[in-house]
Amino acid sequence: MMHRNPSRTLVLGVTAALALTTGGAAVAADRPVRDRVDRLLARMTLDEKLGQMTQAERQAVTADDITRYRLGSLLSGGGSAPSPNTPESWADMTDGFQRAALATPNKIPLIYGVDAVHGHNNVVNATIFPHNIGLGATRDPGLVRGIGRATAEEVTGTGPDWTFAPCLCVARNDRWGRTYESFGEVPELASAMASIVTGFQGERLNGRASILATAKHYVGDGGTTGGDDQGDVDLSEAELRKIHLPPFRAAVRRGVGSVMISYSSWKGVKAHGHKYLITDILKKELRFSGLVVSDWNGIDQIDGKPGFTAEEVRTSINAGIDMVMVPHEWKRFIDTLRAEVQAGRVPMKRIDDANRRILTKKIELGLFERPFADRSYLKTVGSAEHRALARRAVARSQVLLKNDRDVLPLARDGKLFVAGKNADDIGNQSGGWTITWQGASGATTRGTTILDGIRQTAAPGSTVTYSKDGTGIDSSYKAAVAVVGEKPYAEFEGDRPGAMGLDADDLGTIERLRASGVPVVVVLVSGRPLDIAAELPKWNGLVASWLPGTEGRGVADVLFGVSRPTGKLPVTWMRSAEQQPINRGDGQTPLFPYGYGLTYRR
Ligand code: GLC
């Protein structure tokens, strides 16, 4: 008789016991994933399969709904947080939803998604990293991977298992309100920064702090005519493949677990209903084996009219969407899809394929074995270690564009005047997708403003005067720093079809500083290049700071020379808004070319 390895026997015994208590041998943890999926599928009713394909917003369900409708996924839309918005209450909330999901016959755990797009940005006091456009300026995929890891730890401690990130959009027109969510205007930069997928997921999905990543928005969201968010991509297939597809190929190669479909259309056909793009190219040609999720009410847009119809449900599922983000109308979605399946207009084969993809990711993530928040990671939320990483990323993202007569680096013992609406405002320096969907000005979360950073870096006993609009400056100051730019926005709210210059307040502030005769350094906190060519000759220095997040000291590190500026433009900087779209190699003459960035001579 072959003596089985006693410990293996013990494992099998425990596993079998586990299987019996958690819904039968289908979920025995040591069986091959495919086998576990097959056994689960064989036991599932149609309604259980439809529930797995449904993602509802947390505010639109009760625990009983989750159990009764066998819901497979929930999400927090931008800013959708428990009250109080603390890491512990997030963990309590997600665990509560999870217990409701496990109270079903097959005990299939929920997968909970959030937009952790620059840190775990829905959570107050979490570490907020620079938005992607600043990370693109670092040209450092290793740094960006580390940011993914840190974010995954903060997400894991609070309970969610899935982030709707990274955005691998290639922003081709800076008028687009989501330009800052892009790593840059060329595909190779976004492809390189797909390293963050490995940061989020780990080398294998079942790591202790692995969360499912999402390559989004497939495909061409950054290439719409006029930079119109959710607009139309009027490109040939060759151009679409050349510019917008490579980052998704890179993410698939890294084993990205999910792909989110873009609201945009290609030559007039909405991506959410595009079988050639989703099934033929993404799933077959790129061999993507993860799950495809719609965007928020994304299927509603297929016919261009509000709400979704049976035809839109059928079209999107048959096109290859596996899970539908249907925040509020999720009951009607389930009923509609059931009717389409029963009428034979959506094949059961498609339903099973979608469930196979969803269940495979849940099993690979280890959700059946570890369905609840891993509260050992709660201490990482906003931790000193993560904030130090963010500060390094901020410093590396700064791009020095002008430095007349070496006005920078600033002397630490010099008498300094600081002004501008973005100098002392955590909300403005973090941008959209921060605590709320659109973000907001003010002290929205814990962090270090750029002014705080300047004060912490200046020599003890030196003078740092702050005046938001520049009032009070005189010629006794060695230099003036004007921290100006944009206020927070997200998605279409940030589209700028008209002028792209500084607002009147900022121009007035800078003029006030200039009138004193003191050298002026402008620090631009914005989600994109702005139209500043006419003003630039009047400035002595210019730093593109992008949207640095909570660790504003990283900006001061560069201003004072604690860190030398190494950032390079991830996007071409227009000479005027009329040049948009303007990109590398298009024959236009920019103010600063893609890849431009100065450093200090000393
Ligand atoms: C939004 C965005 C998408 C986000 C989703 C969930 O509308 O387009 O990027 O992941 O909804 O918040």
Side-chain angles (χ1 to χ4, degrees):
M1 175 193 167
M2 185 183 74
H3 291 281
R4 299 177 70 91
N5 169 336
S7 59
R8 179 167 164 67
T9 304
L10 179 63
V11 165
L12 283 176
V14 168
T15 304
L18 180 73
L20 288 174
T21 55
T22 53
V27 290
D30 71 329
R31 303 195 67 86
V33 173
R34 185 173 185 79
D35 183 15
R36 294 175 69 182
V37 172
D38 289 343
R39 287 163 179 260
L40 259 181
L41 274 179
R43 307 154 62 92
M44 290 168 70
T45 64
L46 173 59
D47 276 359
E48 285 177 303
K49 293 176 181 177
L50 301 180
Q52 286 300 308
M53 297 169 69
T54 306
Q55 182 179 64
E57 219 292 330
R58 56 171 277 276
Q59 299 174 85
V61 297
T62 64
D64 290 346
D65 290 332
I66 295 167
T67 307
R68 181 176 169 198
Y69 291 90
R70 315 292 197 250
L71 293 180
S73 182
L74 294 182
L75 85 146
S76 279
S80 176
S83 178
N85 184 347
T86 63
E88 293 74 13
S89 59
W90 271 84
D92 293 343
M93 171 188 76
T94 53
D95 284 358
F97 288 138
Q98 191 64 283
R99 278 191 289 276
L102 296 175
T104 53
N106 282 311
K107 300 178 173 50
I108 299 173
L110 274 179
I111 183 166
Y112 195 104
V114 287
D115 293 277
V117 296
H118 64 139
H120 195 2
N121 41 258
N122 280 327
V123 180
V124 170
N125 297 340
T127 311
I128 304 295
F129 293 91
H131 268 297
N132 288 352
I133 194 167
L135 298 183
T138 71
R139 299 298 198 278
D140 188 340
L143 172 68
V144 170
R145 174 174 169 167
I147 289 172
R149 174 93 306 234
T151 302
E153 290 178 354
E154 299 198 19
V155 170
T156 296
T158 55
D161 330 278
W162 184 7
T163 178
F164 303 129
C167 186
L168 291 176
C169 43
V170 181
R172 302 290 287 175
N173 189 318
D174 304 336
R175 292 182 181 282
W176 187 37
R178 305 192 77 163
T179 295
Y180 68 77
E181 295 187 63
S182 171
F183 290 107
E185 69 183 28
V186 297
E188 58 267 30
L189 189 48
S191 299
M193 298 307 180
S195 60
I196 199 168
V197 167
T198 307
F200 287 137
Q201 300 190 156
E203 289 296 347
R204 289 168 47 81
L205 256 186
N206 66 351
R208 276 190 63 216
S210 294
I211 59 176
L212 200 69
T214 310
K216 74 181 187 182
H217 309 81
Y218 183 81
V219 63
D221 51 349
T224 61
T225 303
D228 171 23
D229 187 40
Q230 308 185 8
D232 188 54
V233 180
D234 185 17
L235 292 177
S236 68
E237 179 167 348
E239 284 290 314
L240 185 74
R241 283 176 172 272
K242 184 179 137 203
I243 298 169
H244 299 285
L245 194 60
F248 289 91
R249 193 185 303 276
V252 169
R253 283 200 185 118
R254 284 184 175 270
V256 70
S258 68
V259 169
M260 184 182 289
I261 302 302
S262 176
Y263 284 121
S264 52
S265 50
W266 177 37
K267 291 195 173 305
V269 179
K270 280 287 180 181
H272 274 77
H274 214 298
K275 183 168 186 178
Y276 176 64
L277 289 177
I278 302 172
T279 295
D280 298 342
I281 295 182
L282 177 64
K283 290 186 172 181
K284 290 181 178 170
E285 183 183 321
L286 268 59
R287 304 170 65 79
F288 173 63
S289 59
L291 70 95
V292 174
V293 64
S294 80
D295 203 332
W296 177 283
N297 286 327
I299 68 170
D300 300 15
Q301 295 194 11
I302 293 172
D303 67 2
K305 302 186 191 97
F308 61 81
T309 62
E311 184 180 2
E312 285 174 315
V313 168
R314 142 170 101 245
T315 301
S316 60
I317 301 300
N318 288 338
I321 288 181
D322 303 307
M323 183 183 285
V324 175
M325 188 185 293
V326 48
H328 304 100
E329 291 283 294
W330 52 269
K331 282 181 190 165
R332 186 166 72 85
F333 167 73
I334 290 172
D335 292 343
T336 307
L337 183 52
R338 183 189 304 109
E340 289 304 300
V341 173
Q342 289 169 341
R345 292 188 289 264
V346 172
M348 199 58 215
K349 187 166 176 284
R350 178 72 271 276
I351 299 297
D352 284 341
D353 173 53
N355 272 264
R356 179 175 298 286
R357 290 168 179 267
I358 294 164
L359 294 173
T360 297
K361 291 308 155 192
K362 288 185 174 182
I363 289 171
E364 287 175 350
L365 264 173
L367 286 183
F368 283 83
E369 290 72 44
R370 299 188 308 276
F372 299 111
D374 182 345
R375 296 179 190 240
S376 69
Y377 284 98
L378 278 174
K379 59 181 177 295
T380 71
V381 180
S383 66
E385 180 193 347
H386 286 177
R387 289 180 187 273
L389 172 63
R391 175 179 168 183
R392 285 199 301 278
V394 171
R396 296 284 305 281
S397 66
Q398 303 304 294
V399 182
L400 179 62
L401 295 172
K402 182 175 183 180
N403 191 19
D404 276 2
R405 292 194 297 281
D406 294 332
V407 63
L408 291 174
L410 301 169
R412 294 178 75 162
D413 58 358
K415 192 178 174 189
L416 190 60
F417 197 96
V418 181
K421 69 169 181 281
N422 290 349
D424 196 28
D425 193 311
I426 280 286
N428 286 4
Q429 72 186 51
S430 297
W433 295 103
T434 305
I435 311 305
T436 60
W437 172 45
Q438 289 293 316
S441 300
T444 54
T445 190
R446 182 155 56 86
T448 304
T449 66
I450 293 167
L451 174 65
D452 293 338
I454 290 172
R455 286 192 162 129
Q456 291 163 11
T457 312
S462 65
T463 301
V464 175
T465 304
Y466 172 62
S467 159
K468 190 171 183 178
D469 66 359
T471 306
I473 190 168
D474 61 41
S475 58
S476 70
Y477 289 89
K478 193 170 172 57
V481 178
V483 187
V484 296
E486 294 185 307
K487 290 185 175 177
Y489 53 82
E491 302 192 49
F492 46 85
E493 302 279 0
D495 282 2
R496 291 187 70 162
M500 297 180 74
L502 290 174
D503 64 27
D505 289 347
D506 286 344
L507 292 171
T509 299
I510 295 168
E511 204 40 48
R512 224 162 271 118
L513 300 178
R514 284 190 62 250
S516 70
V518 171
V520 175
V521 173
V522 172
V523 175
L524 210 45
V525 172
S526 64
R528 63 186 123 206
L530 296 181
D531 186 348
I532 49 115
E535 303 299 322
L536 184 61
K538 299 181 253 179
W539 305 346
N540 302 81
L542 172 61
V543 174
S545 193
W546 315 109
L547 295 172
T550 51
E551 305 314 306
R553 180 131 188 213
V555 178
D557 287 339
V558 168
L559 293 178
F560 285 98
V562 173
S563 304
R564 294 166 63 84
T566 56
K568 301 294 177 197
L569 285 182
V571 287
T572 301
W573 201 289
M574 71 191 112
R575 185 169 291 283
S576 90
E578 284 61 52
Q579 289 185 306
Q580 291 296 344
I582 180 168
N583 295 290
R584 182 182 67 178
D586 70 3
Q588 298 188 81
T589 305
L591 182 60
F592 301 110
Y594 171 89
Y596 185 85
L598 302 172
T599 193
Y600 295 146
R601 278 202 285 255
R602 51 188 164 78

